[in-house]
Every structure is written in structure tokens, then in C-alpha cells.
Amino acid sequence: MPKCCRAPNCSNAAGQPRAASRRLSFHKFPLHDTARLQRWLAQMGQEHWVPTHHQHLCSDHFEPSCFQYQWGVRYLRPDAVPTIF
């Protein structure tokens, strides 16, 4: 199953052609952290929707400060909340 962004009005999916300078990554919903999940859903305007472990948000919905780098790899910070919709 290809990764697709579940944000409203976002059509980003893994495997789509894009400029090399535009890094796109996909991040699972924090299903194990109820408080953080509720903040993600509130930011999306989807408070009554329940995501599954197969659904993702793309990196376009996170500020640059939401990421950290280790050994040249970009990771989503454990306290990151999407704000760009």
C-alpha cells in the first residue's frame, strides 16, 4: 500500500516525481500518545476522525523546527505537532 498524506486537501504520495531539492517524508500518527494525537487531529480540523496505523501525514505539514537530524537523517521530533494546512 503506497504512503499517501491524509491531511485535508493534500495529494502528496510516495513515489510521485518532485524536485530533488524538495524532500518529502511521511510520518505515522502518534496513536500511542493520546494527548499528542488529539493535538494533531485538532490542528487538522478532524477531531472526530480516528486514524489507523497505516495512515500518514507528509512533512509539508510540519515546520522546519519540528525536525531533528542525526547522522544526516531527518527525524520528526517526538513532541512535533503539524501546523501547516
Side-chain angles (χ1 to χ4, degrees):
M1 172 182 262
K3 292 180 184 175
C4 299
C5 184
R6 296 297 298 175
N9 303 315
C10 184
S11 59
N12 287 334
Q16 289 177 331
R18 63 184 55 86
S21 63
R22 186 168 172 251
R23 295 179 64 180
L24 189 66
S25 54
F26 293 86
H27 307 279
K28 292 185 176 194
F29 286 84
L31 300 177
H32 61 281
D33 185 345
T34 306
R36 187 168 160 223
L37 175 62
Q38 290 306 314
R39 291 195 331 244
W40 281 40
L41 297 176
Q43 286 293 110
M44 293 174 61
Q46 302 287 321
E47 292 90 350
H48 303 290
W49 175 65
V50 179
T52 70
H53 66 277
H54 296 290
Q55 295 172 319
H56 303 80
L57 277 184
C58 72
S59 53
D60 282 354
H61 304 289
F62 295 90
E63 299 286 338
S65 62
C66 291
F67 295 97
Q68 61 189 10
Y69 291 85
Q70 290 182 311
W71 304 102
V73 178
R74 181 173 72 167
Y75 294 96
L76 190 62
R77 291 185 181 277
D79 60 347
V81 175
T83 57
I84 304 170
F85 292 99

